[in-house]
Amino acid sequence: MLPAFTLPDRFSDWFSRRGWSPRSHQLELTQAALDGESALLIAPTGGGKTLAGFLASLIELEQRGKSNLGRPALHTLYISPLKALAVDVARNLMTPVEEMGLDIRIETRTGDTPQSKRQRQRANPPDILLTTPEQLALFIASDHAAEFFADLKCVIIDEIHAIAPGKRGDLLSLGLATLAQWAPACRFLGLSATVHDPSILQRWLGVRQDQPALIKSSGGVSADVEIMVSEERIPWSGHSGRFAAAEVYERIKSAKMALVFVNTRAQAELMFQELWNENEDGLAIALHHGSLAKDQRRRVEAAMASGAIKAVVCTSTLALGIGWGEVDLVIQ
């Protein structure tokens, strides 16, 4: 029997200093990735799947040599379905990198990234780049893209269950096939919440026509799901919860941190205003949707990450995989 896989001392010591132990699925995915294998990890919310996806890359980058082309090279490409998720993961990933003193450069490339920074990234790639499917499509179609991705060692697709089934998944699969041709040594890792049939995602992730390994984690936190029955008069027309704003506000008051999801940006503005009309306690309630300026969205995200906010009225911009650890109430 082969000995159980263990993390290098620098990484195991970091877990120990935080009072943690690496989970079995994190070790299993790291070992598969270090062996050059592609894999799909199925883990529940709070299972540490994002860190699991990056551990092998961090280990390789700590032990790296020069690139094949003798210049700075992109090692790991992380693909997120949401801009806010890419930014949040980058922020969270910097914690172990800084605490372990790793010499690793991590950057994001989304629709918010200024052109000057995009040009600099092309000339001087970071070690890890976090982006979205649309930005990857634009990058692949640009000049000298094959040279840029030639040294790529790992692609991580987060929340793969939210991307693969639709048009975005079809387009992204073409991009991944191109990356596999340009970077033959690249492995592909998919991260997903619990799904009914993982084999569908395995086939989608099988860029090289092979079946990626399936790694599953048990456990996770069970959600308490209920329907909030309003005592207010429900309007005959319209699809807004504004009539129940007072009751939603009472729920927010008793929560540590709440997310209030609506369908559209206009509904977000209207519900936010209704909650502020109820906000006699001066609670820190914020607004987040795709039409807001980047700086305003980033301030809200930073406030959530630090626990300095009580609730956020939002669209799907905050819907997938974002690690707001203090959230204990979600209202749809």
Side-chain angles (χ1 to χ4, degrees), residues 19 49 107 120 134 153 195 198 220 229 239 245 253 271 278 293 298 318:
K49 59 180 178 290
E107 294 185 2
R120 178 180 57 74
E134 290 73 22
K153 298 296 188 296
V195 293
V229 180
H239 301 276
K253 284 173 61 176
M271 177 57 84
E278 300 289 338
R298 294 293 178 266
L318 295 182

Side-chain angles (χ1 to χ4, degrees), residues 89-100 104-106:
V89 168
R91 178 170 49 236
N92 293 336
L93 188 59
M94 286 306 301
T95 298
V97 168
E98 291 174 350
E99 291 182 353
M100 284 188 280
I104 296 175
R105 186 157 60 95
I106 301 170

Side-chain angles (χ1 to χ4, degrees), residues 207-231:
V207 179
R208 303 187 187 282
Q209 304 302 317
D210 55 349
Q211 184 89 321
L214 176 61
I215 300 170
K216 299 180 73 172
S217 168
S218 59
V221 179
S222 298
D224 182 10
V225 180
E226 62 176 289
I227 295 176
M228 190 179 78
V229 180
S230 175
E231 299 194 10

Side-chain angles (χ1 to χ4, degrees), residues 160-227:
I160 189 174
H161 60 282
I163 301 177
K167 183 187 295 185
R168 296 179 86 198
D170 295 339
L171 296 174
L172 179 56
S173 65
L174 296 174
L176 298 180
T178 301
L179 293 179
Q181 186 176 22
W182 289 343
C186 184
R187 60 181 178 264
F188 295 85
L189 306 180
L191 310 178
S192 174
T194 304
V195 293
H196 175 67
D197 188 358
S199 65
I200 297 175
L201 299 181
Q202 281 180 281
R203 289 194 295 272
W204 184 89
L205 189 61
V207 179
R208 303 187 187 282
Q209 304 302 317
D210 55 349
Q211 184 89 321
L214 176 61
I215 300 170
K216 299 180 73 172
S217 168
S218 59
V221 179
S222 298
D224 182 10
V225 180
E226 62 176 289
I227 295 176

Side-chain angles (χ1 to χ4, degrees), residues 15-31:
F15 274 90
S16 297
R17 287 196 303 271
R18 286 188 152 246
W20 298 345
S21 296
R23 301 181 181 184
S24 58
H25 63 272
Q26 292 176 322
L27 295 176
E28 190 175 351
L29 181 61
T30 302
Q31 182 176 24

